[in-house]
Amino acid sequence: MNSLLLLFVALGVPTLGVLVYALVTGSPGLRRHVLTRVALTIPMILILATVVFVVLRVLPGDPVTSSLGPRGNPEVREAMRDQLGLDLPIWAQYGRYLGSLFTFDLGNALTSGRRPVAVELGERFPATIELIVPAAIVAVVGGILAGTLAGSRRKSATDYGLRMFSVAIYAMPVFWLGLILQLIFAVQLGWFPVAGRIDPIVSGSLERVTNLLVVDSLITGNWAALGSALRHLVLPAATLGLILLGVFLRLTRVNVIETLQEDYVAAARARGIKEGVIVYRHALRNAMIPVITFIGLQVAILLAGAVLTETVFSWPGVGRYLVERIGLRDYTAVQGVVAVFAIFVSMISLLVDVVYSIVDPRVRY
Amino acid sequence: MDTERLLPEAPQPEPLPDWEEDLARVGLVRRAFMARRWYGPDWWFVVIGSVIVIFLTLVALFPQWFAPHDPSANVGPRNLAPGEKPDVEVLVSLEGSGVANLRDLASGDREPFGVVVGTPSSEIARAAADTIGEETGERIRLRIQRFDTLEEMLGAVADGSVRAGAGSNIAIEEVLDDYPGVTIQGSLEGAEVTADTSFILGTNQLGQDVLSRLIWGTRVAFLVGFAAAAFALAIGLPLGLVSGFTGGKLDRVLSLIMDSIYSFPGLVLAIAIAAVLGASIFNVVVAIAVVYIPTYFRIVRGQTLAIKEAVFVEAARSIGARSWEILWKYIFPNVIPSVAIIFSVNVADAILTGAGLSFLGLGLPPHIPDWGIDLARGQVAIQTSWWLVTFPGLAVMFVVLTLTMLGEGLIEIINPRLRDR
Amino acid sequence: MSGEILYSVRDLVVEYDTRTGPLRAVDGVSLDIRRGEILGLVGESGCGKSTLGKAMMRLLPRNARIAKGELLFDGQDLMSLSEEQMRHVRGGKIGMVFQDPMTSLNPVQRIIDHITETIKTHKPDASDDEARERAEFLVERLGIRKDRLDDYPHQLSGGMRQRVMIALALALNCDLVIADEPTTSLDVIVEAKFLDLLRDLRDEFNLTILMITHNIGVVAEVADRVAVMYAGEMAEVGDVHPVFAEPAHPYTEGLLKSVPNIALDEEELYQMKGGPPNLLHPPAGCRFNPRCPYVMDICVSQDPPMFPVHGGGGVAACWLRDPERKRSESD
């Protein structure tokens, strides 16, 4: 079993758990909703896989020429065409491609020793996870708190300040924010390392279990490695987290403002409930529901941001792998990354959606 | 009073005055100006945003009017910090000696010319003299006289023992006050760079002017941003209209496809498309546009569904209006405001994505001045040249911020849900 | 019914800030509410009756403010209270029931949480069990099974939710309940039951109720006295029977005539001419003068004060009721 498959098992088990929970305990309406949602996920993955196929195989541009260059050895070219199945009719290629996708066999890379793409991705996915999880936590927690603050004090100085901050953050290219943080905190102040995932000196001493370096160093009690891994993590995670924080801030703010105009808020005020309780218990809880749904969609932004952030900080994750392989014109690898992203995004969105329909008491079918 | 008695509901007078009626009586320009009283800060956002966007469009259309230098030429020394004076070889002579540049020494005689040992002055002076000679046919023969220190050389110029001398601009300027009458006449090379030339935002590793590249970069950014957003609009809007209006199987299939693309990381899709299509501006536009089609599709479809059920459409249908008439006369005009908002936000987004693509080295041919490419080059020199990563990023941010401000203001004005009554 | 005055509004002016200047939604209104009575406050939409109700709790929207006037509740000047002290009055002394029971309960909070939260806000030392006990007592009294307390609002019918809103007002034995169009969104049968319940509760819990409504039938059914508002001003106040039998203000008369009456289906329904005035530019003199069938010269120049009518049992702001004019006419 390759490590990529392992990752999807790790993601799939909780999804499956939630699905089973919803199907067993839910009302018939909820059950129907969940089943429809699952049924929609499969065509969604198929459509994305097809889009990837169309982009990489049908659009003009020949992978063999672009990977070997126009002067490539004819024998090598022929071998490569054969390996990629490019001589087959387009429908046969499509079938082969879908088949390989569902068996998690993404083919062998065209470059770097022709290792299986699935294995290479499996090695790199933990680094991406280690980057996006803390970033998401920073974004969601920070964004919701700041957004509530801004929304509950609409048109105050705090509100205008936070709104300007969120707009400014939104206007920043992710990679530029990364560069600036790098410039200030790594180059000028020297507080954090400029790039990389862990100090090479301690790297050797760290025993790899999950390939999540923070987790590995915690389990093995390797404190030097933990410190180094965390220090390397701060800037990339802050970069990615801050960009998303702006998005969550705006969304929460709008929802809090709308919720505070609801009748039940006026009714709560008329009962003498404290303003703080109204904002944080009544308004925030209701405003949170659309925000949580939104987290599902944000996974896409998170992954796109990860591609750029990983490039800036030389973070050895999937995003950087994608950029490297595009530079090398390694189409099998690119196709693999994009397909894996598609599956990842669809599964997360399924998970969020089902959790949401279980959590919100209002959802009726 | 045994029956249910209802007071007929009178039309409810809004707490807001009927200012829209007042507005209807004045001309469009005056109307827009009057609106500031009702919309407050958001009106200013829109106005200031529009003014800046118009100015930036001008910059994008005619960068040559604004840029001090050719963005692709090596116009100065390499890696010059912002405001730092370029250190060039300059010609010094006595005031009133009649020597303002090397050509004034073309007398046929070997003219005594002072240089300092261990500096490139003599080589540069000879090379420059040869160049002038080739261009004009006048032969300049220099009798190079070497001095051990700059002070000795300047002293010789001051007492007239050499007619002119050459040395580093910065070093000379420091001690020039001690030699009355000696003046800096300009660069030896006679190139664009003189002692007075400065590069406000510095130069890059190739000696290109950062400011000029920023100004020319506006062109690509705007082109990519507007073209991609317009492209996406042109496809997403009709699809959304038709899909929402006809409903049924077509609608379900289209929605599923669009939702799938929408949920996928846009940049990754754009990367793949740009990589396959190869480097050209048009390909970048296509790659980015594909990513934003679902955005328009979703918003237009949603609005169409809502408007389709509205009373005035029902009424039109009941008097026998044809489908395309309803679509064109009733639904299309009503989706325009939200599409306009999405468009302004989308241009900003497309500029960000475009910068991201070129930062990754995808899409744009490398010779085009572009902020993303400049940032990628700047990152290589981040340890030494802070200005190379700072300014192109600020430029992106400024443009995106302006467009966002415009969009935000429009949203606050147009979206009545959030408007304070 | 004692004549003791529980809540006295004196010369209240409420202004909304609009983009073209201040708009007086309530303009110099005075009103006394007696302890133990049900007072019906009627008027067309936008006449300022809801604003008056909200102002009485100092719960105005952000762009509105009390520009002038006094609010005396149980001998206490509410205008002099701090926001924190005012918070204890709301829910503790004065309760409010809103128009739409569908939206006045927090959708993600169970019913019991609404009640215990209210109780604990005003009585911080009450235990969960005590609060629950009180909640169970209240909902059972209001005819809701106590196990429904653990339901979410969307699981309850409209009538049940409106009864929950009442329970919330009763949770702390409020003296005064301001009910803002409480039955508008209920169907007729539920409405009748609800109004009966309200009257019973008034006796049982010693409540005073201000019933804000545009439905004159509701007033006729439950109210002891009625106050009629027009364009931000009080038109007529008095006991229900004399006012309905012999309206002293032409506006009241018009209101009563324009109500459909099943018994008189032959007659065409009376329609008052015109619509309510723009409050930014109210007409000079009496605000009703453009629509009044009895308009006189004085009506377009001078704003009428309140004249006693019905033998001193009520007041009306109409020059027709000017005792001096009557005298001069009879001369």
Side-chain angles (χ1 to χ4, degrees), chain C residues 266-290:
Chain C
E266 296 294 310
E267 257 176 65
E268 202 169 311
L269 204 58
Y270 174 80
Q271 261 191 318
M272 232 186 293
K273 64 171 183 180
N278 178 351
L279 287 180
L280 271 179
H281 313 285
C286 173
R287 290 187 176 177
F288 189 60
N289 77 57

Coordinates of all heavy atoms in Angstrom, one line a residue, chain C residues 266-290:
Chain C
E266 N -74.0 44.8 2.1 CA -74.6 45.5 1.0 C -73.9 46.8 0.7 O -73.7 47.2 -0.4 CB -76.1 45.8 1.3 CG -76.9 44.5 1.5 CD -77.0 43.7 0.2 OE1 -77.3 44.4 -0.9 OE2 -76.8 42.5 0.2
E267 N -73.4 47.4 1.8 CA -72.9 48.7 1.6 C -71.5 48.7 1.0 O -70.7 47.8 1.2 CB -72.7 49.4 3.0 CG -73.8 50.4 3.3 CD -73.7 50.9 4.7 OE1 -72.7 51.6 5.0 OE2 -74.6 50.7 5.5
E268 N -71.2 49.7 0.3 CA -69.8 49.8 -0.2 C -68.8 50.2 0.9 O -69.2 51.0 1.8 CB -69.8 50.8 -1.4 CG -68.6 50.5 -2.3 CD -68.7 51.4 -3.5 OE1 -69.8 51.4 -4.2 OE2 -67.7 52.0 -3.9
L269 N -67.7 49.7 0.8 CA -66.7 50.0 1.9 C -66.2 51.4 1.7 O -65.9 51.9 0.7 CB -65.5 49.0 1.7 CG -64.7 48.8 2.9 CD1 -65.5 48.2 4.0 CD2 -63.6 47.8 2.6
Y270 N -66.1 52.1 2.9 CA -65.7 53.4 2.9 C -64.1 53.5 2.7 O -63.4 52.7 3.2 CB -66.0 54.1 4.3 CG -65.4 55.4 4.4 CD1 -66.1 56.6 3.9 CD2 -64.3 55.6 5.2 CE1 -65.5 57.8 4.0 CE2 -63.7 56.9 5.3 CZ -64.4 58.0 4.8 OH -63.9 59.2 5.0
Q271 N -63.7 54.4 1.8 CA -62.3 54.5 1.6 C -61.9 55.9 2.0 O -62.4 56.9 1.5 CB -61.9 54.3 0.2 CG -61.4 52.9 0.0 CD -60.8 52.7 -1.4 OE1 -61.4 53.2 -2.4 NE2 -59.7 52.1 -1.5
M272 N -60.9 56.0 2.9 CA -60.4 57.3 3.2 C -59.6 57.9 2.0 O -58.9 57.1 1.4 CB -59.5 57.2 4.4 CG -59.8 58.1 5.6 SD -58.6 58.0 6.9 CE -58.9 56.4 7.5
K273 N -59.8 59.1 1.8 CA -59.0 59.7 0.6 C -57.6 60.0 1.0 O -57.3 60.2 2.2 CB -59.7 60.9 0.0 CG -59.7 62.1 1.0 CD -60.2 63.4 0.3 CE -60.1 64.5 1.3 NZ -60.6 65.8 0.7
G274 N -56.7 59.9 0.0 CA -55.3 60.2 0.2 C -54.5 59.2 1.0 O -55.0 58.1 1.3
G275 N -53.3 59.5 1.3 CA -52.4 58.6 2.1 C -51.8 59.4 3.2 O -51.9 60.6 3.2
P276 N -51.1 58.7 4.1 CA -50.4 59.4 5.2 C -49.3 60.4 4.6 O -48.8 60.1 3.6 CB -49.8 58.3 6.0 CG -49.9 57.1 5.2 CD -50.9 57.3 4.2
P277 N -49.1 61.5 5.3 CA -48.1 62.5 4.8 C -46.7 62.1 4.9 O -46.3 61.2 5.7 CB -48.4 63.7 5.7 CG -48.8 63.1 7.0 CD -49.6 61.8 6.7
N278 N -45.9 62.7 4.1 CA -44.4 62.5 4.2 C -43.9 63.2 5.5 O -44.1 64.4 5.6 CB -43.8 63.1 3.0 CG -42.3 63.0 3.0 OD1 -41.7 62.6 4.0 ND2 -41.6 63.4 1.9
L279 N -43.4 62.5 6.4 CA -43.0 63.0 7.7 C -41.8 64.0 7.6 O -41.6 64.7 8.6 CB -42.7 61.9 8.7 CG -44.0 61.2 9.2 CD1 -43.6 60.1 10.2 CD2 -45.0 62.1 9.8
L280 N -41.1 64.0 6.5 CA -40.1 65.0 6.4 C -40.6 66.4 6.1 O -40.1 67.4 6.6 CB -39.2 64.6 5.2 CG -38.0 63.7 5.5 CD1 -37.3 63.5 4.2 CD2 -37.1 64.3 6.5
H281 N -41.8 66.4 5.4 CA -42.5 67.7 5.2 C -43.9 67.6 5.6 O -44.8 67.5 4.7 CB -42.4 68.1 3.7 CG -41.0 68.0 3.2 ND1 -40.0 68.9 3.5 CD2 -40.4 67.1 2.4 CE1 -38.9 68.5 2.9 NE2 -39.1 67.4 2.2
P282 N -44.3 67.5 6.9 CA -45.7 67.3 7.3 C -46.5 68.5 6.9 O -45.9 69.6 6.9 CB -45.6 67.1 8.8 CG -44.3 67.6 9.2 CD -43.4 67.6 8.0
P283 N -47.8 68.4 6.7 CA -48.6 69.5 6.3 C -48.7 70.5 7.6 O -48.6 70.0 8.7 CB -50.0 68.9 6.0 CG -49.9 67.5 6.5 CD -48.5 67.1 6.6
A284 N -48.9 71.8 7.3 CA -49.0 72.7 8.4 C -50.3 72.5 9.1 O -51.3 71.9 8.5 CB -48.9 74.1 7.8
G285 N -50.4 72.9 10.3 CA -51.7 72.8 11.1 C -51.9 71.4 11.5 O -50.9 70.6 11.8
C286 N -53.1 70.9 11.4 CA -53.4 69.5 11.8 C -52.9 68.6 10.7 O -53.2 68.9 9.5 CB -55.0 69.4 11.9 SG -55.4 67.6 12.1
R287 N -52.2 67.6 11.0 CA -51.6 66.7 10.0 C -52.6 65.9 9.2 O -52.3 65.4 8.1 CB -50.6 65.8 10.6 CG -49.4 66.5 11.1 CD -48.3 65.6 11.6 NE -47.2 66.5 12.0 CZ -46.1 66.0 12.5 NH1 -46.0 64.8 12.8 NH2 -45.1 66.9 12.8
F288 N -53.8 65.9 9.7 CA -54.8 65.1 9.0 C -55.6 66.0 8.0 O -56.4 65.4 7.2 CB -55.8 64.5 10.0 CG -56.8 63.5 9.5 CD1 -56.3 62.3 8.8 CD2 -58.1 63.7 9.5 CE1 -57.2 61.4 8.3 CE2 -59.0 62.7 9.0 CZ -58.5 61.6 8.4
N289 N -55.3 67.3 8.0 CA -56.2 68.2 7.2 C -56.3 67.8 5.7 O -57.4 68.0 5.2 CB -55.9 69.6 7.5 CG -54.6 70.1 6.7 OD1 -54.5 70.0 5.5 ND2 -53.6 70.6 7.5
P290 N -55.3 67.3 5.1 CA -55.5 67.0 3.6 C -56.5 65.9 3.4 O -57.0 65.8 2.3 CB -54.1 66.6 3.1 CG -53.2 67.1 4.2 CD -53.9 67.1 5.5

